[in-house]
Amino acid sequence: NAGVMQNPRHLVRRRGQEARLRCSPMKGHSHVYWYRQLPEEGLKFMVYLQKENIIDESGMPKERFSAEFPKEGPSILRIQQVVRGDSAAYFCASSPGGNSNQPQHFGDGTRLSIL
Amino acid sequence: AQSVSQHNHHVILSEAASLELGCNYSYGGTVNLFWYVQYPGQHLQLLLKYFSGDPLVKGIKGFEAEFIKSKFSFNLRKPSVQWSDTAEYFCAVSRTGSASKIIFGSGTRLSIRP
């Protein structure tokens, strides 16, 4: 009974490199959400995707960040040219459908550290 | 603007003490309300949720929360805490209807002295 799977659990990058974070939703879930948690802060919404579509990207930084959820395979959050301020925990959540009554289930997160 | 405020950043209690964590929200329209818990090193887990109906909601592990619409509040309570309740607790809100983002509070760290 696999939950939301995120990998890697920990990712270390140097400034200027690219970071790719992966998220496989729970079986049967077609909606994926990405959140970022900075140290000592709550989770902040980044982007909401369905298969092959971005539904809401109001929380995504305008530059360097992108997300996709292809027809096959996991959702990917991509950060280009990383900077120190990108260091955070990135959490993915999934839900089965388009009704807000269906709670989001969270993965264990990816902790990104920028050297 | 949509926001969730959790009044206590860090709460320290002894075992068997009663717990109440405050949460207020600012959100236009009807809302769904949640409390999530994050145990050390683990992912967020849903403690309880309010969608509609009885404003007193019971969740897992003896937790409950009361939605007071007039006060825009959704405080979390537990009559007698245990050491294993040590965790970070997040209040959250989303709009009703179609699926959407969740707005989280900044969290309350709960430490229980054995």
Side-chain angles (χ1 to χ4, degrees):
Chain A
N1 182 23
V4 177
M5 304 298 291
Q6 289 188 248
N7 69 83
R9 289 293 304 275
H10 300 276
L11 182 61
V12 179
R13 285 287 179 267
R14 296 188 182 280
R15 282 179 294 173
Q17 291 184 321
E18 178 181 285
R20 281 184 180 241
L21 288 64
R22 296 175 190 76
C23 170
S24 296
M26 285 182 70
K27 188 176 180 181
H29 287 194
S30 59
H31 295 240
V32 165
Y33 312 79
W34 285 94
Y35 295 86
R36 176 166 63 175
Q37 185 179 28
L38 295 169
E40 305 298 321
E41 293 187 17
L43 280 74
K44 298 284 194 291
F45 168 78
M46 299 181 75
V47 63
Y48 162 31
L49 310 104
Q50 294 178 35
K51 284 285 187 181
E52 301 184 278
N53 289 306
I54 295 175
I55 307 303
D56 181 356
E57 56 181 345
S58 58
M60 285 282 268
K62 294 288 184 268
E63 297 176 346
R64 303 187 297 108
F65 285 73
S66 61
E68 63 176 9
F69 189 17
K71 187 176 180 181
E72 302 290 338
S75 174
I76 306 287
L77 179 68
R78 182 181 177 207
I79 311 173
Q80 295 178 290
Q81 298 177 319
V82 296
V83 301
R84 286 252 171 87
D86 297 332
S87 294
Y90 292 82
F91 289 93
C92 171
S94 72
S95 67
N99 190 320
S100 67
N101 284 4
Q102 296 161 315
Q104 297 175 20
H105 297 262
F106 284 79
D108 287 335
T110 294
R111 277 142 185 90
L112 176 64
S113 298
I114 308 302
L115 301 179
Chain B
Q2 306 154 355
S3 66
V4 177
S5 297
Q6 291 185 241
H7 313 301
N8 309 102
H9 183 65
H10 190 190
V11 172
I12 303 173
L13 295 173
S14 298
E15 278 196 308
S18 64
L19 170 72
E20 181 159 2
L21 301 182
C23 172
N24 287 90
Y25 67 92
S26 172
Y27 205 106
T30 53
V31 295
N32 300 321
L33 293 157
F34 310 86
W35 276 96
Y36 281 86
V37 60
Q38 187 176 27
Y39 297 102
Q42 297 187 26
H43 60 269
L44 269 77
Q45 300 173 40
L46 183 64
L47 260 185
L48 48 79
K49 60 185 183 295
Y50 171 81
F51 291 147
S52 63
D54 188 345
L56 185 61
V57 179
K58 295 196 183 297
I60 60 171
K61 304 186 181 186
F63 286 91
E64 65 178 29
E66 185 174 12
F67 171 44
I68 303 179
K69 190 175 181 180
S70 61
K71 294 184 178 180
F72 299 93
S73 70
F74 191 55
N75 292 355
L76 181 71
R77 299 194 293 249
K78 185 170 183 177
S80 177
V81 294
Q82 302 171 307
W83 179 80
S84 58
D85 293 325
T86 296
E88 187 109 23
Y89 292 81
F90 294 95
C91 181
V93 63
S94 71
R95 61 176 169 83
T96 58
S98 56
S100 68
K101 63 187 177 188
I102 293 177
I103 308 295
F104 284 87
S106 56
T108 297
R109 189 189 315 166
L110 177 63
S111 299
I112 306 298
R113 291 189 291 249

